[in-house]
Amino acid sequence: AEYTRARRRGLALLAMANDLRDKGIEIANDAVRDDNAGNYEDAINKYCKAAEYLMTATKYEKNPVTLKTIREKSLEYVQRAEALKQGLAGKGAGGKKAGGGGGSKEEEEESEDDDVEPEPLTEEQLAKAEAEMKEELSKLIGMESVKKQMEQLCKQLSLDIRRRAEGHNTLDAIRHMMFTGNPGVGKTTVSRLVARLYHQLGVSAKDSVVEVQKGDLVAGYVNQTAMKTAKKIKEARGGILFVDEAYQLTQALQRGQSDFSGEAIDEMMKVMNETGRKSVTFVFAGYKKEMDEFVQYNAGLESRIKYRFHFDDYTVPDLCKIVNIKIKAKGYKMTADAEKNLNAIIDKNTTADLRSKYNGRLTDNLLQWAADCMNQRLDLTASGEQLITLTKDDLSEAIKKFQLARPPQKKDPALLGGEQVEQQFKMWGIQHLSAFFVRAGYRQLVDLIHLSKQDIMALGVTKDAEVRRAVQLVERLKQEHRKESLEMDALFVDPDSVDVKTWLEKRSLGEFAKLFERHRVDFEVLGDLTYEDLKEMGLNEVGPRRRIHRQIVQWRDDREAKKADAIRSRMQVQENKAYLESQQQNVDDRLQHLKASLGESGYVTGVAPVKRLRSAGEGAAQRRAVRAKHSGGQPWGGGATAEEERGSPCRLRAGGRW
C-alpha cells in the first residue's frame, strides 16, 4: 500500500511537471509570434510568463536532461525579454526577430541577407547550366521517368529566371520533393544533382545535401525533438535536407503509439513555406507504399510537396552497364568472355525479387566477391594485367554467393510488435494467418484468448480448416491461461499478511477471524467469496457483511491486476520455451531419420522420444514444498523455475510483484 501511494504521488508530480512545461511552451510560442509581429510589449510579458511556468516545472521534474533543457530555455526567454525591453527604452525594435525564444548573432547575420537576390544569370550562364545538367543526367543509368521529370524541372526554373529578368512574377515557389523507390536505385545521387541544379540557377545559396534519418531528428523527451530538428534545419539552410526513410516519422503515430516524431514534422512544416535562396529544400525519401501513407497522414505535408519522383528498379542490362562503369572507374577490366556473358550470369543467378532488394548495391557486392575469387585464383607471381582482369569464372563464382547472402528484409510496419503471435501461429503451421491478427491489433498471446469463432472469421480467415485450427489455438491458450490463473491463486501469499487471520486484523476485522478459520477460508478461496457466501457463513448483519465484502473485492482486484502481468510474462516464457523445444525436436527427428536410413543405430524412423509426464499430484506437492521453503511472504513465491527466474521477464521483484 505504501509503494502504491508513493507511486501515485510520483505520477501526480510528473503529470504536474508535464502540464506546467507544456503550458510554458505554449505561452512561449505565443510570445515568439508577437515578437515577430512587432507586438513587443505583449511579447515581453509572455516571455516572462513562459519562463515562470518553466521554472515552476523544475520543482517537480526529476529527469536531469529535461531539467537542463528547461533551464536553458527559461534563460533564453528571459534574455530575449530583456533585449526587447532595452529596445523599447531606446525606441528601437528590440533587435532581430525571435525564433523560438532567442537566437545568436550568426542567425541575425543570416536573416539580413535572406532576401538579397543574386545577379540574374546571363543567357550564356543559363545555357551552360542547362547543358551541364543534361550531361549529368545522361550519365545516369536507367531512371528514364526521373530524367524526364528532371528535364522538366530544369526547364521550369530556366523559364522562371527569364520571367524575373523581364520583371514578371513567378506563380509557384514550392520546391520540396518526395523520392520513392527501393534501396540502391539512386535517390541520394539525384538529390545531389537537384542541389547542384538549384545552386547553379540561383534558386538556392548552396549545393550541399544534409542527409538525416529519424534518429537524427527525434529525441526521447518533450521539446528536445523540436530543438534537435531545428538544429538540422539550420545546418541545411540554403541547401537540401534529405530525410531518408521519412515514413518512419509517422509509423508509430499511425499505430496509435506515443512518439515525439510529430514534433519533428511540425518543426519542418514551420519552415516549408519559407522562400528565398537561404530557405531549406526538403527531399523526403523511402519505399513507395510507406511514403504514400506518410504524406496522407498529414494533409499539410502533402500540400507542401510539389515534385514526386519514382525510381524504378534496375533491369539486368542496367546492372551490366553499372558494372562496366564501376570497373573502368577503378582501373580494372574484364576478359572478352566475361563481358560477353555478364548479362546471362546476372540474369540466370538472381531473381527479380533479389535484384529489387539490392539494385545498385548488387553490383558493389558482385565486384567485391569477384575480386576475392580473382585473388584466390592468382598466385604471388602474377603481374601486369593479370592483377586487374576479372574472368568469367570469377563472376560466375561471385554471383553464387547471393544465394547464401540474404539482403535486408523490409518488414511491414503494421506487423511490428507481433512476434509472439507470429511465433505461436508458426508452431501450429498456420503462420500465413498471423498477419490478419497482428494487423487488427492482437500482438500478444493474452490478446487472443478473448476471440470467438465469429471474431476469427471477421478478421479475414475464410477457409473452414484454417478457422478450425485457429479456434483450436485460441482454445488451447484459454486453457493455459485458466490453468495459470488457478495455479497462481493456489500459490498466492499476501505480501502484507501471513494468513487470513492477519489479513482480517490489518483491516480491523479481527473479530471475524474464528468464523473464517471455522469455514477453512484461505487465500486460495478468499477472492471467490461472494456477498451470499458470507451470509451462508453466518454473517447475517448487513453492516459487517458489507464491510468484509468491500475489502475482499478491493483485495481481489489488486491481486488480479498483479496476476494478469505475471500470467502474461509466464505465457510468453512458456511459449518461447515450447517453440525452442519444437525447433530442437524437428532437428532431432531429422537426425534420427538420417541415422536410421544409414543403419548407424537401431532407431525407428518417425518415432519421437517419449517424455515422462509429471502427475498433477506430484506437481502440486512440489509447488507446496517450494512455496513453503522459498516464498518469504511474496505472492506466487515458488511459481518459477530457476531458469525462469534467471532469464525471464517474470523474475521476482521487491514489493510482492513478479
Side-chain angles (χ1 to χ4, degrees):
E2 178 121 357
Y3 166 80
T4 303
R5 285 193 295 271
R7 186 169 180 270
R8 286 173 180 168
R9 283 197 300 270
L11 291 175
L13 292 176
L14 180 60
M16 187 182 299
N18 289 339
D19 291 342
L20 289 169
R21 186 173 63 242
D22 293 344
K23 183 66 176 177
I25 293 170
E26 181 183 346
I27 295 172
N29 290 334
D30 291 339
V32 171
R33 282 191 285 270
D34 287 338
D35 194 351
N36 291 333
N39 303 324
Y40 300 119
E41 291 184 358
D42 292 339
I44 291 172
N45 292 329
K46 290 179 179 177
Y47 278 132
C48 294
K49 193 173 182 180
E52 290 167 355
Y53 267 96
L54 292 179
M55 290 310 296
T56 306
T58 59
K59 298 178 181 178
Y60 308 103
E61 180 60 58
K62 302 300 181 184
N63 188 290
V65 179
T66 308
L67 276 173
K68 181 183 176 184
T69 303
I70 291 175
R71 292 192 178 105
E72 289 175 351
K73 295 303 290 183
S74 299
L75 179 61
E76 287 181 16
Y77 298 150
V78 171
Q79 290 174 343
R80 182 57 185 166
E82 289 179 345
L84 290 177
K85 186 178 178 181
Q86 292 173 3
L88 288 175
K91 297 183 180 179
K96 65 183 180 59
K97 291 187 176 181
S104 63
K105 293 181 179 179
E106 183 182 340
E107 290 175 342
E108 184 176 357
E109 293 171 0
E110 288 178 352
S111 64
E112 288 176 355
D113 57 3
D114 268 350
D115 299 325
V116 178
E117 289 291 337
E119 290 294 326
L121 296 179
T122 63
E123 288 293 333
E124 293 77 12
Q125 291 173 323
L126 191 57
K128 180 181 178 183
E130 292 173 354
E132 288 180 0
M133 182 53 56
K134 287 182 179 179
E135 182 181 355
E136 292 292 339
L137 290 174
S138 66
K139 295 178 182 178
L140 298 177
I141 305 300
M143 304 187 199
E144 297 306 323
S145 62
V146 174
K147 289 178 182 177
K148 289 180 181 178
Q149 288 179 282
M150 284 292 293
E151 290 172 357
Q152 292 172 2
L153 173 62
C154 184
K155 181 179 179 182
Q156 177 194 325
L157 295 175
S158 299
L159 290 173
D160 283 344
I161 290 173
R162 288 183 170 86
R163 290 186 182 99
R164 284 193 291 269
E166 295 183 11
H168 302 296
N169 293 325
T170 56
L171 294 177
D172 198 348
I174 299 176
R175 60 198 194 205
H176 309 299
M177 303 179 174
M178 185 172 80
F179 291 175
T180 60
N182 290 322
V185 289
K187 297 189 288 291
T188 308
T189 301
V190 173
S191 72
R192 295 194 181 101
L193 285 181
V194 172
R196 196 178 310 163
L197 173 65
Y198 278 1
H199 180 59
Q200 287 177 334
L201 298 182
V203 176
S204 60
K206 299 186 295 187
D207 62 355
S208 62
V209 178
V210 177
E211 300 179 31
V212 296
Q213 291 185 332
K214 178 180 178 179
D216 302 310
L217 304 175
V218 180
Y221 301 100
V222 174
N223 203 35
Q224 284 191 323
T225 293
M227 296 170 61
K228 198 172 182 181
T229 305
K231 184 177 179 181
K232 285 296 181 182
I233 291 173
K234 179 182 175 182
E235 183 182 343
R237 286 197 69 193
I240 284 180
L241 185 64
F242 183 83
V243 186
D244 197 15
E245 297 181 347
Y247 55 86
Q248 293 183 353
L249 292 172
T250 58
Q251 283 180 341
L253 300 173
Q254 288 169 340
R255 294 196 297 268
Q257 300 174 355
S258 60
D259 194 292
F260 294 110
S261 301
E263 291 185 28
I265 296 173
D266 292 341
E267 196 69 23
M268 289 188 285
M269 288 178 62
K270 288 179 185 177
V271 299
M272 287 181 76
N273 285 334
E274 293 181 358
T275 58
R277 296 178 63 247
K278 290 203 171 182
S279 61
V280 180
T281 300
F282 290 88
V283 177
F284 301 100
Y287 298 102
K288 187 175 189 314
K289 176 177 175 291
E290 284 80 353
M291 290 303 296
D292 289 341
E293 294 172 353
F294 167 70
V295 295
Q296 289 171 7
Y297 180 79
N298 192 313
L301 265 178
E302 191 168 15
S303 64
R304 287 171 171 81
I305 297 174
K306 180 178 181 182
Y307 304 103
R308 300 193 183 194
F309 294 179
H310 179 68
F311 293 71
D312 295 317
D313 292 331
Y314 287 121
T315 63
V316 174
D318 290 338
L319 295 174
C320 292
K321 292 177 183 177
I322 295 173
V323 168
N324 279 296
I325 291 172
K326 289 185 175 181
I327 284 181
K328 291 177 182 177
K330 293 292 184 180
Y332 280 63
K333 60 175 64 176
M334 289 186 290
T335 63
D337 191 26
E339 193 167 353
K340 179 181 177 182
N341 290 279
L342 179 60
N343 191 301
I345 290 172
I346 296 176
D347 190 29
K348 291 180 180 179
N349 293 279
T350 60
T351 62
D353 183 56
L354 186 142
R355 291 193 293 271
S356 72
K357 288 182 171 65
Y358 279 98
N359 279 298
R361 296 168 189 169
L362 182 144
T363 61
D364 294 326
N365 289 3
L366 177 61
L367 291 177
Q368 289 173 6
W369 291 333
D372 292 340
C373 294
M374 177 181 65
N375 293 335
Q376 293 176 5
R377 172 174 53 82
L378 296 175
D379 54 37
L380 295 177
T381 60
S383 61
E385 292 194 349
Q386 290 180 330
L387 296 171
I388 58 171
T389 304
L390 298 173
T391 66
K392 176 186 174 183
D393 291 339
D394 295 335
L395 295 170
S396 298
E397 287 298 317
I399 201 74
K400 292 177 182 178
K401 294 188 179 182
F402 282 102
Q403 299 173 3
L404 301 175
R406 294 184 177 182
Q409 297 293 320
K410 177 178 71 69
K411 188 167 185 176
D412 190 334
L415 301 181
L416 295 175
E419 290 78 9
Q420 289 185 33
V421 173
E422 291 174 356
Q423 182 175 292
Q424 185 68 211
F425 276 72
K426 185 176 181 180
M427 289 174 60
W428 283 71
I430 49 176
Q431 56 267 31
H432 59 287
L433 300 180
S434 62
F436 292 110
F437 293 79
V438 177
R439 287 181 191 278
Y442 297 95
R443 291 185 168 85
Q444 296 187 9
L445 298 180
V446 291
D447 297 335
L448 300 177
I449 64 176
H450 305 290
L451 290 173
S452 63
K453 180 179 179 181
Q454 289 72 23
D455 295 332
I456 293 172
M457 296 177 68
L459 291 174
V461 183
T462 55
K463 296 181 180 179
D464 291 341
E466 293 179 344
V467 171
R468 283 196 298 272
R469 297 184 74 178
V471 169
Q472 290 173 358
L473 184 154
V474 170
E475 288 299 324
R476 194 195 69 79
L477 290 176
K478 286 181 180 179
Q479 293 173 4
E480 185 67 27
H481 186 274
R482 194 178 303 115
K483 175 185 174 184
E484 287 287 345
S485 179
L486 293 175
E487 284 188 359
M488 297 182 84
D489 286 347
L491 293 172
F492 184 80
V493 178
D494 191 277
D496 299 324
S497 307
V498 179
D499 50 25
V500 174
K501 179 182 178 181
T502 308
W503 183 86
L504 289 167
E505 290 173 350
K506 286 194 174 185
R507 289 159 178 80
S508 302
L509 300 170
E511 58 186 295
F512 304 104
K514 290 184 178 180
L515 179 64
F516 276 68
E517 185 178 352
R518 185 166 64 250
H519 287 275
R520 297 181 181 179
V521 176
D522 56 15
F523 285 121
E524 184 175 353
V525 299
L526 179 63
D528 297 327
L529 291 181
T530 65
Y531 190 70
E532 294 301 323
D533 291 337
L534 294 175
K535 185 177 181 180
E536 290 183 12
M537 289 170 58
L539 285 168
N540 296 318
E541 296 179 358
V542 175
R545 198 185 341 160
R546 286 286 184 191
R547 290 207 325 270
I548 294 175
H549 185 256
R550 193 183 306 118
Q551 292 294 335
I552 290 174
V553 170
Q554 183 178 348
W555 176 82
R556 181 177 60 213
D557 291 344
D558 183 52
R559 183 193 67 174
E560 291 300 314
K562 295 176 183 177
K563 186 169 68 174
D565 292 337
I567 289 177
R568 183 182 296 110
S569 298
R570 281 188 171 201
M571 289 183 67
Q572 180 180 350
V573 170
Q574 290 180 3
E575 295 305 328
N576 288 343
K577 185 177 179 181
Y579 175 74
L580 293 174
E581 287 179 351
S582 67
Q583 295 294 97
Q584 183 61 40
Q585 188 63 49
N586 291 337
V587 174
D588 293 341
D589 290 344
R590 289 166 63 190
L591 289 174
Q592 182 178 346
H593 178 73
L594 289 170
K595 288 182 178 180
S597 301
L598 294 170
E600 293 182 0
S601 71
Y603 291 169
V604 179
T605 305
V607 178
V610 178
K611 293 183 179 179
R612 177 179 177 271
L613 300 178
R614 187 178 63 179
S615 69
E618 289 175 334
Q622 285 187 9
R623 287 195 298 273
R624 284 194 294 271
V626 170
R627 179 178 62 169
K629 183 177 180 181
H630 299 295
S631 64
Q634 303 289 344
W636 306 298
T641 64
E643 179 183 353
E644 288 172 339
E645 294 212 7
R646 283 195 303 270
S648 78
C650 58
R651 181 167 35 202
L652 274 172
R653 297 187 296 182
R657 289 172 173 240
W658 281 97

